[in-house]
Amino acid sequence: MEKYKFFDLPEFSTVKDILENERKNYVITLFGLCKILYAGRASSIATYSSRLITFKPDGSVLVHSNKKLKPVNWQPSSSEVKVEIGDELNIYVERKRPKEVLEILMPIVYYLSLSKVDEGEFHLFGSESEMVEEVVKNPELISRDFIPLEREYQTPFGKIDLLGVTSTGYLILEFKRAQAGLEAVSQLKRYVDYLSWKGERVRGGIVAPSISKSALKLLKKYGLEYFQLSPKLLPTIRLK
Amino acid sequence: MEKYKFFDLPEFSTVKDILENERKNYVITLFGLCKILYAGRASSIATYSSRLITFKPDGSVLVHSNKKLKPVNWQPSSSEVKVEIGDELNIYVERKRPKEVLEILMPIVYYLSLSKVDEGEFHLFGSESEMVEEVVKNPELISRDFIPLEREYQTPFGKIDLLGVTSTGYLILEFKRAQAGLEAVSQLKRYVDYLSWKGERVRGGIVAPSISKSALKLLKKYGLEYFQLSPKLLPTIRLK
């Protein structure tokens, strides 16, 4: 299997053949004029324009314009691809559950490339999970009397990052590796409400490097707390 | 300006020249062996592997492996790109505020492509905004005595999709075009709490095609309501 191949102005039959037979082996990129119809949770139309379309071996499909990180249209992994040839090349990308269909109509494909892309290894440092780990090892970072009980404590309203106790009752901690916003406060409030409804004495706190003004205001209104803690970044690749 | 160009096994100097001078004109895709260091909100290392890297004219950069919709690494629009040539090709993608750096080290570039990608027009149907529109025109979809007052009503804790009144006081509506989950309920709760704290008599409701079991449970606990309404999809591109 070659590392990569390139087809300049490929015939529709070539594109069909490659999309149907090489899709599991390569990341396939088409550059061409396309109109895109989508129907599923919502529906959308992207009018004829030159866009870059990528098909990955796991079934995910991305349609990119010249702007922004987010694709214009996309289908997640495990989607199926079918190709029909008419006046235009018709590519159907279907996801079964929930049912969603992306229909790509292409009057012309400028180029097609096949790339033997690998997954590679990816290591993330400074994650929320690492922050929880640090607090579990050094509970005095929160308070002298804090005793961690359980990570990922399941409630009907989501998982509590870290549940512990202090001399005044339970303490629920919600971790964010970047600035905590309103959603983090609301999330914590759900867990605190849940244990309160069960009759427990409970406090709640956000653990994050910073918190937005509006989130801090809401936090105080709800009688919740904020603990300032930054995730540890790997020293060797710190910002210059 | 040509529609597209392709360079097979380009020299480092060619890649540097193109990334520095053609980045505003084309979507540039590199396929090659790369190691990627990232430092910013977190830090990460992606070990040497063959990946597909895309640079867009607006400054956004995406690094894709062979799986999933989400890139392995990325930088948002308005990032700057600098290239240095050593034993490897060193590409620095920097975002100033907040400061984030993506460092791409490439011992080999298999191919480079330039594509004149356009933005195109994109129309979304069945959006939340359309659902709000429909309720404003037909308030009886909520209840006989509902009178819509203001869309996008600003509070310190977020924007209320639609604020109205009924015979019993204010009614706050939060719209979701797909199944409403716990976050939608928490969001609505913030707005209801806000108006309550101001001394108003207020009810709150989720308007969505469906709601998850846990969200419905939380909704009831909070004394909030659910109104079933589906977004209207464009008939011509409905699912077959």
Side-chain angles (χ1 to χ4, degrees):
Chain A
M1 202 149 62
E2 290 170 78
K3 193 78 191 166
Y4 62 97
K5 280 190 241 182
F6 181 82
F7 294 84
D8 189 24
L9 290 169
E11 299 279 341
F12 286 169
S13 57
T14 306
V15 178
K16 177 180 162 74
D17 179 51
I18 291 172
L19 279 179
E20 290 183 347
N21 301 313
E22 299 286 7
R23 213 167 60 82
K24 301 282 179 194
N25 305 320
Y26 291 98
V27 170
I28 300 168
T29 302
L30 300 186
F31 172 49
L33 199 60
C34 63
K35 175 181 175 178
I36 298 174
L37 307 176
Y38 165 78
R41 294 188 173 191
S43 60
S44 68
I45 296 178
T47 59
Y48 284 108
S49 195
S50 297
R51 298 190 186 88
L52 209 52
I53 308 168
T54 305
F55 301 82
K56 289 190 175 185
D58 71 345
S60 50
V61 178
L62 305 101
V63 182
H64 276 285
S65 81
N66 61 349
K67 285 185 181 170
K68 296 182 184 169
L69 283 172
K70 207 177 164 184
V72 174
N73 280 110
W74 64 89
Q75 285 281 60
S77 53
S78 79
S79 296
E80 281 176 27
V81 175
K82 281 175 204 159
V83 182
E84 284 175 18
I85 298 176
D87 289 344
E88 299 179 308
L89 189 71
N90 290 13
I91 306 170
Y92 300 91
V93 186
E94 188 178 328
R95 185 196 194 187
K96 298 275 183 199
R97 288 167 63 119
K99 176 124 172 164
E100 288 182 277
V101 178
L102 197 66
E103 194 175 337
I104 306 172
L105 307 171
M106 301 188 80
I108 183 163
V109 177
Y110 296 120
Y111 75 72
L112 180 155
S113 71
L114 297 165
S115 311
K116 194 82 200 66
V117 171
D118 303 318
E119 193 173 1
E121 282 177 46
F122 183 81
H123 305 282
L124 180 71
F125 305 92
S127 64
E128 278 161 27
S129 168
E130 282 189 338
M131 289 172 74
V132 177
E133 192 73 37
E134 208 190 331
V135 167
V136 167
K137 283 182 187 160
N138 308 288
E140 67 280 4
L141 285 169
I142 299 301
S143 79
R144 282 194 180 184
D145 64 347
F146 179 62
I147 302 166
L149 293 178
E150 197 172 334
R151 293 176 68 158
E152 306 272 309
Y153 181 85
Q154 186 72 54
T155 81
F157 306 128
K159 275 182 195 163
I160 293 174
D161 285 339
L162 183 61
L163 177 66
V165 287
T166 67
S167 54
T168 59
Y170 284 111
L171 175 57
I172 294 171
L173 295 177
E174 174 61 32
F175 290 72
K176 294 292 164 196
R177 74 177 202 202
Q179 185 174 74
L182 290 165
E183 282 175 25
V185 178
S186 285
Q187 199 181 343
L188 176 63
K189 176 77 164 105
R190 286 204 298 269
Y191 308 145
V192 169
D193 285 344
Y194 169 69
L195 281 195
S196 300
W197 290 330
K198 289 187 70 178
E200 305 293 350
R201 286 174 65 196
V202 55
R203 290 160 55 198
I206 298 277
V207 186
S210 65
I211 184 165
S212 73
K213 273 188 186 177
S214 59
L216 188 62
K217 197 174 165 184
L218 184 65
L219 193 84
K220 286 180 176 172
K221 269 285 190 188
Y222 281 148
L224 302 172
E225 297 157 65
Y226 168 58
F227 301 96
Q228 207 265 328
L229 185 73
S230 296
K232 289 199 175 157
L233 304 186
L234 194 71
T236 51
I237 55 167
R238 245 178 222 285
L239 296 176
K240 290 163 193 173
Chain B
M1 202 149 61
E2 290 170 79
K3 193 79 192 167
Y4 61 97
K5 281 189 239 181
F6 181 83
F7 295 83
D8 189 24
L9 291 170
E11 299 279 340
F12 286 170
S13 58
T14 306
V15 179
K16 177 180 162 74
D17 179 49
I18 290 171
L19 280 179
E20 290 183 344
N21 301 312
E22 298 287 6
R23 212 166 61 82
K24 302 282 179 193
N25 306 320
Y26 291 99
V27 170
I28 300 168
T29 301
L30 300 187
F31 173 49
L33 198 60
C34 63
K35 175 181 176 179
I36 298 173
L37 307 177
Y38 164 78
R41 293 187 174 194
S43 60
S44 68
I45 295 177
T47 59
Y48 284 108
S49 195
S50 296
R51 300 191 184 88
L52 211 52
I53 308 167
T54 304
F55 300 82
K56 290 190 175 185
D58 71 345
S60 51
V61 178
L62 305 101
V63 182
H64 275 285
S65 81
N66 61 348
K67 285 185 181 170
K68 297 183 184 168
L69 284 173
K70 206 177 165 183
V72 173
N73 279 111
W74 65 90
Q75 286 280 60
S77 54
S78 79
S79 296
E80 282 176 28
V81 175
K82 281 176 204 159
V83 183
E84 284 174 19
I85 299 175
D87 289 344
E88 300 180 306
L89 188 70
N90 290 15
I91 305 171
Y92 299 92
V93 185
E94 187 178 327
R95 184 194 194 189
K96 298 274 183 200
R97 289 166 63 116
K99 176 125 172 163
E100 287 183 277
V101 178
L102 198 66
E103 194 175 336
I104 306 172
L105 307 170
M106 302 188 78
I108 184 163
V109 177
Y110 296 120
Y111 75 72
L112 179 155
S113 72
L114 297 165
S115 311
K116 194 83 200 66
V117 171
D118 303 319
E119 192 172 2
E121 282 177 46
F122 183 80
H123 305 282
L124 181 70
F125 305 92
S127 64
E128 279 161 26
S129 168
E130 282 189 338
M131 289 172 73
V132 177
E133 192 73 37
E134 209 189 330
V135 167
V136 168
K137 283 182 188 160
N138 309 290
E140 67 279 5
L141 285 170
I142 299 301
S143 80
R144 283 195 179 181
D145 64 345
F146 178 63
I147 301 167
L149 293 179
E150 196 173 334
R151 293 176 67 159
E152 305 273 309
Y153 181 85
Q154 186 71 55
T155 81
F157 306 128
K159 275 183 195 164
I160 292 173
D161 285 338
L162 183 60
L163 177 66
V165 286
T166 67
S167 54
T168 58
Y170 284 111
L171 176 57
I172 293 171
L173 296 177
E174 174 61 31
F175 290 72
K176 294 291 164 197
R177 74 177 203 203
Q179 185 174 73
L182 290 166
E183 283 175 24
V185 178
S186 285
Q187 199 181 346
L188 177 61
K189 175 77 166 111
R190 287 204 298 268
Y191 308 146
V192 169
D193 284 344
Y194 169 69
L195 281 195
S196 300
W197 291 329
K198 289 186 70 179
E200 305 293 350
R201 285 175 64 195
V202 55
R203 289 161 55 198
I206 297 278
V207 185
S210 65
I211 184 165
S212 73
K213 273 189 187 176
S214 58
L216 188 62
K217 197 174 166 186
L218 184 66
L219 193 84
K220 286 181 176 172
K221 269 284 190 188
Y222 281 148
L224 302 171
E225 296 156 66
Y226 169 57
F227 301 96
Q228 207 266 327
L229 185 74
S230 295
K232 287 198 176 158
L233 304 187
L234 193 71
T236 50
I237 54 167
R238 243 180 225 283
L239 297 176
K240 291 163 193 171

